[in-house]
Amino acid sequence: MSVIIRTEDLSKSFGSNHVLKSVTLEIPEKQISAVIGQSGTGKSVLFKTIMGMIRPDRGRVWFKDTEITALKQDALIAIRRCFGYSFQNAALFDSMTVGENLAFPLKEALRLKDRKEIRRRVTEMLEWIELPGTETKRPDELSGGMRKRIGVARALIMQPEVLFFDEPTTGLDPVLSETINNLVVRVNRELHITCVMITHDIPAAFRIADKIAFLDQGYVIAGGSPKEVAASDHDMVKDFIRISFSELQV
Ligand SMILES: Nc1ncnc2c1ncn2[C@@H]1O[C@H](COP(=O)(O)OP(=O)(O)OP(=O)(O)O)[C@@H](O)[C@H]1O
Ligand SMILES: [Mg+2]
């Protein structure tokens, strides 16, 4: 197993709010990793710092052999093409159709001009996420679950090497959550893309992730395979897991 992303001693504060204190993490290539932890603990900040959208106060981030934290703006923009980001709130453009939403990154970031080629890639992508024929729909005509999938499709259409999912299932009912979790697995298994997800769905993280990092108060307090994290003797981790799984037994 090779490591595709590595963070070392990452630290980030906003004023007196010390969000990341020292985060050291390895993301295995072509596998599924999950970042879990309480709300407000810095999971989204960690993702943004890895992608170079937030500059850390201290520490480094590597993508393969490139130190992201040492890159100038131009190089940073170029390397970000390797990353896809499925936002916490889907973040689609409501004034555009689904087709236009998917075509947008192709036109803006990849500078594709060939309209036939753009249409082909949009159609193919919508088929792959099992929402064929939704090109002309507007995001507000879709259900929450469909919007999430379109959000994933918009990230995937750029053919990233790593796809970050920020809470892909939050706000969805259990059946839809399962659909999205299965989509993450398909992205990984069928497209061979490294997937990193932040999730509050702890049972799903333990089921589908190859590696889990538990973030708390600025540190990774437990990390490794689901088995290793489940065996952690850290009180916070034990409580979190116990509560998450006991909710299942109603
Ligand atoms: N751009 C910013 N400026 C100032 N503070 C920020 C900024 N982004 C995040 N924060 C703060 O950093 C902390 C961590 O936020 P973050 O969004 O990473 O939490 P999270 O773990 O993703 O939470 P949730 O599970 O609710 O999404 C919060 O206290 C938040 O207010
Ligand atoms: Mg978040």
Side-chain angles (χ1 to χ4, degrees), residues 44 88 166-167:
S44 296
Q88 198 159 349
D166 195 342
E167 295 188 22

Side-chain angles (χ1 to χ4, degrees), residues 39-40 42-45 88 166-167 198 200:
S39 189
K43 302 180 298 295
S44 296
V45 168
Q88 198 159 349
D166 195 342
E167 295 188 22
I198 294 173
H200 284 286

Side-chain angles (χ1 to χ4, degrees), residues 8-203:
E8 184 190 285
D9 190 25
L10 274 188
S11 154
K12 179 69 191 175
S13 300
F14 298 101
S16 60
N17 185 7
H18 305 303
V19 180
L20 307 179
K21 290 182 186 137
S22 176
V23 174
T24 298
L25 192 65
E26 288 185 342
I27 304 291
E29 187 166 25
K30 293 191 168 59
Q31 294 198 356
I32 300 175
S33 297
V35 177
I36 60 177
Q38 286 183 304
S39 189
T41 202
K43 302 180 298 295
S44 296
V45 168
L46 173 62
F47 266 28
K48 289 173 187 165
T49 309
I50 290 175
M51 282 181 273
M53 292 147 91
I54 290 178
R55 289 251 177 219
D57 302 327
R58 194 188 62 226
R60 301 174 204 221
V61 178
W62 277 272
F63 172 62
K64 296 180 183 169
D65 294 330
T66 306
E67 191 197 328
I68 292 184
T69 31
L71 296 179
K72 297 243 162 50
Q73 199 60 22
D74 285 356
L76 191 57
I77 289 169
I79 210 157
R80 259 194 223 139
R81 297 263 160 80
C82 304
F83 302 145
Y85 189 29
S86 164
F87 291 90
Q88 198 159 349
N89 53 9
L92 298 171
F93 302 114
D94 282 327
S95 59
M96 294 184 189
T97 64
V98 164
E100 287 162 352
N101 263 284
L102 294 199
F104 187 80
L106 297 178
K107 290 179 185 164
E108 292 302 313
L110 293 190
R111 304 252 168 244
L112 280 190
K113 296 241 170 358
D114 183 347
R115 288 167 66 178
K116 247 186 166 166
E117 167 69 5
I118 293 173
R119 209 172 322 132
R120 189 190 63 76
R121 283 177 67 168
V122 169
T123 305
E124 191 183 270
M125 196 67 245
L126 288 173
E127 275 165 13
W128 194 84
I129 57 152
E130 294 167 348
L131 287 174
T134 49
E135 281 92 336
T136 57
K137 294 239 186 289
R138 288 228 324 274
D140 58 10
E141 294 178 85
L142 304 175
S143 71
M146 288 161 103
R147 268 203 300 277
K148 291 255 187 198
R149 275 148 72 192
I150 300 293
V152 172
R154 192 177 56 181
L156 271 181
I157 204 161
M158 299 287 287
Q159 301 173 333
E161 285 190 54
V162 183
L163 188 47
F164 292 90
F165 299 85
D166 195 342
E167 295 188 22
T169 60
T170 303
L172 301 182
D173 69 42
V175 175
L176 277 179
S177 294
E178 197 52 28
T179 311
I180 300 290
N181 287 324
N182 290 340
L183 180 59
V184 176
V185 172
R186 279 185 67 214
V187 167
N188 176 249
R189 305 282 191 273
E190 292 178 25
L191 307 176
H192 309 292
I193 292 175
T194 302
C195 294
V196 195
M197 67 168 177
I198 294 173
T199 185
H200 284 286
D201 187 345
I202 308 303

